[in-house]
Amino acid sequence: MKFLTKHLRTWEGPLTSDLVQHPGEFGLGNIPRQLTPDATTTIVCGFCSTGCGLKVHLKDGEAINLSAETDYPVNLGMACPKGWEALTPLRSPDRAISPLLKNPATGLQEAVNWDQAIDVFCSRFQSILTQHGPESVAWLGTGQMPCEELAFLGALGKFGMGLIHGDGNTRQCMATATTAYKESFGFDAPPFTYSDFEESDVLVFIGANPCIAHPIMWQRVMSNSHQPEIIVLDPRATETAMAATQHLALQPKSDLTLLYGIAQILVSKNWVDLDYIQKHTTNYSAFTEFLQGFDTQMVAAATGLTIATIEHCAETIGKGQRVSLWWTMGVNQSHEATRTAQAIINIALMTGNMGRPGTGANSITGQCNAMGSRLFSNTTNMLGGHEFLNPVHRQKVASVLNIQDASIPNKNSLPYHQILAGIEAGRIKGLWIVATNTAHSWINQNWARATLAKLDFLVVQDMYGNTETARTADLVLPAAGWGEKEGTLINSERRFGLMKKVSRAPGLALSDFNIFRLIAQRWGCGEMFQKWTSPEAVFQILKELSRDQPCDISGIRDYQMIDDCGGIQWPFTKGEEDLPAVQRRLFEDGKYYHSDGRARFIFESTRAVAEPVAAEFPLVLLTGRGTSAQWHTQTRTGKSDILRKLYPANVYVEVSPADAARLKIEANTQIIVRSRRGKISATAFITSTMRAGQVFIPMHYPELNQLTFPAFDPYSHQPSYKYCAVTLEPATRSSWKKKPPQQN
Ligand code: SF4
């Protein structure tokens, strides 16, 4: 599809110490250089991984409004409420407009200039490193930043500053998919393209509620003209489950058992593609042997489903011609997440539902650039999907960046939860948090907040100085947000899209990119980043880093090409320049990224949940997205008057009618939800979408994670937000002595 839009390039001025003295990067004198005062341009949305194109309308060089881009191949004129309101959070009066430094005498954060802020940043972290070594300072990044900034942060942290440990909030959403794909396919490679939503005759959604979480993807499902069977595996009767042709309301965290049970039926009924299995996979016979332990009767007992329901689901999959399987956080955020994701992959492989239109084992990404974080953040993987433990990879990256091999760590970073454990143990004393909100979003929040309080020095770099995390920081660095800077984002179907600068950041706020440049200069490693002069210059470096990797993008000429094409999916290698608009689906040739070219069947016995229900805590707490108007910890969506009208202002808990009757809970009254880690006050919503024994609280309210249990998948180290044991109590004066915290 030829995508045409008036090209708008954004200004990126030279960065020198001038910037510190004249931080007018976004001042009136610095209007984007190719911007005509009343232009219209298309940029990619900065909330979720769908990656919709938004047409931004400018007046006098500033964005004044936007509409959904009709020609963009992702969303075809649609946008969800967050996208329509994407400009509003930029204008919020509580934007961070100056660096803030905590006064040790008063404990108050006071405004300082950039010179002081960068001096303190470097001197405090350097002092900790000198005293305690390279493992004593770490960073936590985000899947909300563009690839170029993620790469800069990761390269600066590990190669420039000499840190070993850095991770990001992608650990909370996509680490499982990454691990599962790497083990099964040989590389972290979601195989699909969005047209697969429209091409399938059977779509299976596992732990996914796209009606709410990815509404524009769901619109693509609604455009499917094949009258598809839509199967939903979810304990709750979600909006997606209600629209499905089959809803398997399984017991929470019995999904792995169910998937093995379905696979066992597929084998026993011979609804498998033996030719595909033989040519393109390994370990199938061991898998079939393993499956013998999952007879349908046992699976029915474990999942709470009837045998007929399970058999009907398996038959639908087995007899489907183009079956696609889709998963999100219900799978990824589990105590046995990686094996569950791989059980999905196994079903796609054994039925030959890979590499053809309408097929695939497809993980839907969360954040707008979680895929970029997976490939270019230099945390879990080295830049370009390389491995820190591989000396050939270290040499390649060193050569592209023109740095010494010795500048690259030969060990892996600690994952997020072990970084926090390192802080608790006193081994990590300095932390730099960039655009994520740990004090709200991390599991077992009371512990997480107490742990952050143990740091000698906490820096938070964010658009807002009043997030739950930023409020506790020793130093706050004010950052530009989406729409105030440029860079590339990679969406769920591996499409590079362009973020552009259509608005000026307020006050002294700088793009993360330029903050990194300032730090590099003052740290003393500026020379290493001489070529990192602008996001587009870094994009050229990323192209070289990706060369010969599965995510090779060496054929993308520049930002202009991405803009002209309406985004470009990876891989896009040199020589493919004439085919930018082709839909790219992986594994069409049946060749996987392992050295033998074959995909692996990977499986393991199921595990018990970490915190089962008990007499004192008899209910399972489920968590997830509330509405399509809310995003994560609401630091941005909470700023929109319009979006706030679309969801309840205060935390609520969904309760089944049976439990409400048993516990004498009345609708819309305040009740206490208590776990072994904390208790919160919440409004009771009684709804038949919940089954007895289960309650649900949306993730967006800061109170929620006071309750959650810190279990982690042993392979991906992703937190298991989806299951812990709680109890409900009436909110009497004696049980709730202090006022519940208010939502931001
Ligand atoms: Fe599209 Fe997601 Fe942005 Fe909504 S939040 S407009 S679905 S990219």
Side-chain angles (χ1 to χ4, degrees), residues 372-395:
S373 171
R374 289 148 74 172
L375 294 178
F376 293 113
S377 66
N378 215 30
T379 52
T380 303
N381 304 308
M382 192 163 34
L383 297 165
H386 295 92
E387 301 292 336
F388 283 99
L389 304 184
N390 184 328
V392 176
H393 284 185
R394 292 200 299 275
Q395 274 167 14

Side-chain angles (χ1 to χ4, degrees), residues 248-292:
L248 277 64
L250 70 174
Q251 285 298 319
K253 287 302 121 219
S254 63
D255 44 2
L256 184 55
T257 301
L258 176 59
L259 291 162
Y260 286 151
I262 291 170
Q264 185 273 331
I265 296 171
L266 293 171
V267 173
S268 67
K269 299 284 188 186
N270 202 25
W271 289 326
V272 293
D273 186 339
L274 288 174
D275 186 51
Y276 190 91
I277 292 165
Q278 197 211 336
K279 284 183 180 151
H280 303 299
T281 71
T282 60
N283 213 24
Y284 180 64
S285 62
F287 182 48
T288 56
E289 202 172 311
F290 167 81
L291 291 176
Q292 287 172 10

Side-chain angles (χ1 to χ4, degrees), residues 44-54 74-75 78-84 86 213-217 366 368 628 631:
V44 171
C45 179
F47 284 107
C48 91
S49 69
T50 307
C52 297
L54 302 175
V74 166
N75 52 313
M78 300 175 282
C80 83
K82 297 185 292 295
W84 284 104
H214 297 91
I216 303 307
M217 294 191 202
C368 59
S628 60
W631 183 247

Side-chain angles (χ1 to χ4, degrees), residues 571-732:
F572 189 75
T573 55
K574 203 91 185 139
E576 289 186 294
E577 286 85 345
D578 293 339
L579 301 165
V582 168
Q583 292 275 333
R584 288 181 149 67
R585 184 178 296 107
L586 301 181
F587 313 124
E588 286 176 324
D589 58 1
K591 288 202 171 58
Y592 293 86
Y593 301 120
H594 285 298
S595 55
D596 60 2
R598 291 168 177 270
R600 308 270 188 269
F601 282 97
I602 299 175
F603 49 88
E604 186 177 320
S605 298
T606 57
R607 300 161 189 256
V609 293
E611 189 186 50
V613 293
E616 196 187 349
F617 298 97
L619 301 168
V620 178
L621 171 61
L622 308 174
T623 69
R625 262 183 225 289
T627 67
S628 60
Q630 291 167 287
W631 183 247
H632 289 185
T633 67
Q634 301 232 101
T635 51
R636 286 184 289 165
T637 47
K639 304 297 191 294
S640 160
D641 291 341
I642 292 172
L643 295 181
R644 282 202 307 274
K645 286 189 170 65
L646 300 177
Y647 56 84
N650 294 309
V651 62
Y652 61 94
V653 55
E654 294 185 0
V655 183
S656 72
D659 286 329
R662 184 172 57 81
L663 298 167
K664 300 191 173 31
I665 293 170
E666 289 181 25
N668 300 318
T669 57
Q670 286 298 113
I671 58 172
I672 300 297
V673 188
R674 188 160 61 88
S675 77
R676 291 184 177 88
R677 292 151 295 284
K679 65 178 182 179
I680 67 169
S681 175
T683 307
F685 284 6
I686 300 169
T687 168
S688 56
T689 60
M690 297 304 302
R691 302 182 72 195
Q694 302 163 25
V695 297
F696 172 82
I697 300 178
M699 63 192 279
H700 315 289
Y701 300 94
E703 297 90 340
L704 167 66
N705 279 314
Q706 294 178 42
L707 304 172
T708 47
F709 181 85
F712 302 88
D713 177 75
Y715 306 105
S716 68
H717 308 295
Q718 184 158 344
S720 171
Y721 286 99
K722 302 296 188 192
Y723 193 113
C724 75
V726 297
T727 187
L728 304 182
E729 300 165 0
T732 61

Side-chain angles (χ1 to χ4, degrees), residues 395-440:
Q395 274 167 14
K396 175 185 168 186
V397 170
S399 160
V400 171
L401 300 184
N402 198 22
I403 61 176
Q404 300 290 322
D405 290 16
S407 302
I408 300 181
N410 59 4
K411 64 190 285 190
N412 282 327
S413 168
L414 291 174
Y416 200 139
H417 70 304
Q418 289 175 10
I419 288 175
L420 292 181
I423 296 168
E424 186 187 39
R427 292 189 299 274
I428 293 176
K429 296 175 181 299
L431 186 66
W432 179 17
I433 294 180
V434 183
T436 190
N437 192 5
T438 307
H440 175 146

